[in-house]
Amino acid sequence: MRASLGSDRITEYDAPVGCLVINPAGVDSTLAWSQTRENAVVSISPEALSELAAHESGLADAELEPPAFGTVDLRALNIAQMITAELTGMLPPNELYLDSLLTVFGVHLLRTYTSCNRQTASPKGGLSPVGARRVREYLNENFVRKIMVAELASVAGVSPNHFIVGFARTFGMPPHRYLINLRLDLADKLLVGGEFAIAEVAYLAGFSDQSHLAATMKKYRGRTPTKAG
């Protein structure tokens, strides 16, 4: 691979699987591959990264320090593979799951490639009883619409990264799976009632369309909407 970052100097280097290139916002770069490759480009706005840094370390002015060209980061590769799988799967992407992956990716960048990379303690416990109750009530009232990790973390009174880990330890599943269960439960209830067509049920329960509801119900409940009642 031939690349430049922030200058006219071109560097040629080997780019094995897992090679990570960090391009800070506003910094010009060029990339040229010697052969066809598949890359995952993860874009995080400076504002979002600063907000995440403030939550994780109390330092909102952290500056990215790009690693040397050719650096392999297996942790970043693993997260990128999960993002790619979600975006290219049979089902429409789960927005809360993708947002969770982006949050974890951002925290990894901050802890590994910034000037303020002091390690913060990883959350060991779940959410507090009060935080868990608030999140449960909030999800019960808002699960049919788009919900982001930072929004739920604010309700729980913890950082986004702490929320992702703490939620799973408190509820026994990641937040996106909990959200899916709430939507499927409502879909089941509406289907049993028989007042709405399947397409209407899909819309009311927060799914993009009838096929999305059918595929999700088949995956997580082992049956189709027509058999729910």
Side-chain angles (χ1 to χ4, degrees):
M1 181 178 180
R2 293 169 57 83
S4 68
L5 183 63
S7 72
D8 295 329
R9 179 187 175 191
I10 302 294
T11 301
E12 186 170 325
Y13 63 96
D14 292 331
V17 174
C19 174
L20 175 73
V21 176
I22 295 180
N23 192 163
V27 177
D28 292 333
S29 65
T30 61
L31 300 172
W33 297 88
S34 60
Q35 57 184 301
T36 302
R37 298 291 295 269
E38 181 181 86
N39 302 308
V41 180
V42 182
S43 178
I44 304 176
S45 71
E47 295 77 16
L49 202 59
S50 293
E51 184 176 352
L52 193 57
H55 280 301
E56 294 302 317
S57 64
L59 301 170
D61 59 348
E63 293 186 6
L64 286 172
E65 296 181 344
F69 284 130
T71 297
V72 172
D73 187 327
L74 297 180
R75 173 61 172 160
L77 172 63
N78 178 251
I79 300 172
Q81 288 172 331
M82 290 189 288
I83 291 173
T84 301
E86 183 65 14
L87 290 172
T88 58
M90 296 297 292
L91 292 174
N94 183 293
E95 293 171 335
L96 186 56
Y97 179 50
L98 281 177
D99 195 39
S100 298
L101 292 175
L102 289 173
T103 298
V104 172
F105 190 85
V107 169
H108 174 67
L109 292 184
L110 291 169
R111 292 182 176 180
T112 313
Y113 306 106
T114 69
S115 55
C116 304
N117 59 356
R118 63 183 178 86
Q119 292 290 327
T120 56
S122 297
K124 291 182 170 54
L127 302 177
S128 69
V130 172
R133 175 179 56 78
R134 289 175 177 170
V135 169
R136 184 188 297 107
E137 292 174 350
Y138 191 84
L139 282 170
N140 286 339
E141 294 173 0
N142 298 279
F143 66 88
V144 298
R145 67 171 179 82
K146 179 179 178 180
I147 299 178
M148 307 302 281
V149 169
E151 182 181 349
L152 295 173
S154 178
V155 172
V158 297
S159 72
N161 187 52
H162 189 163
F163 171 79
I164 294 170
V165 178
F167 186 98
R169 288 176 176 162
T170 299
F171 293 96
M173 65 185 74
H176 72 276
R177 181 63 187 275
Y178 190 92
L179 187 71
I180 288 173
N181 283 342
L182 288 175
R183 290 175 175 174
L184 288 176
D185 287 346
L186 176 59
D188 275 337
K189 181 178 179 180
L190 294 175
L191 288 167
V192 170
E195 297 180 16
F196 302 98
I198 296 178
E200 293 176 302
V201 169
Y203 172 77
L204 293 171
F207 295 94
S208 57
D209 53 34
Q210 180 175 334
S211 62
H212 183 198
L213 168 61
T216 304
M217 185 170 286
K218 181 67 175 177
K219 179 178 179 179
Y220 292 102
R221 300 283 168 92
R223 50 185 167 77
T224 62
T226 55
K227 297 179 181 179

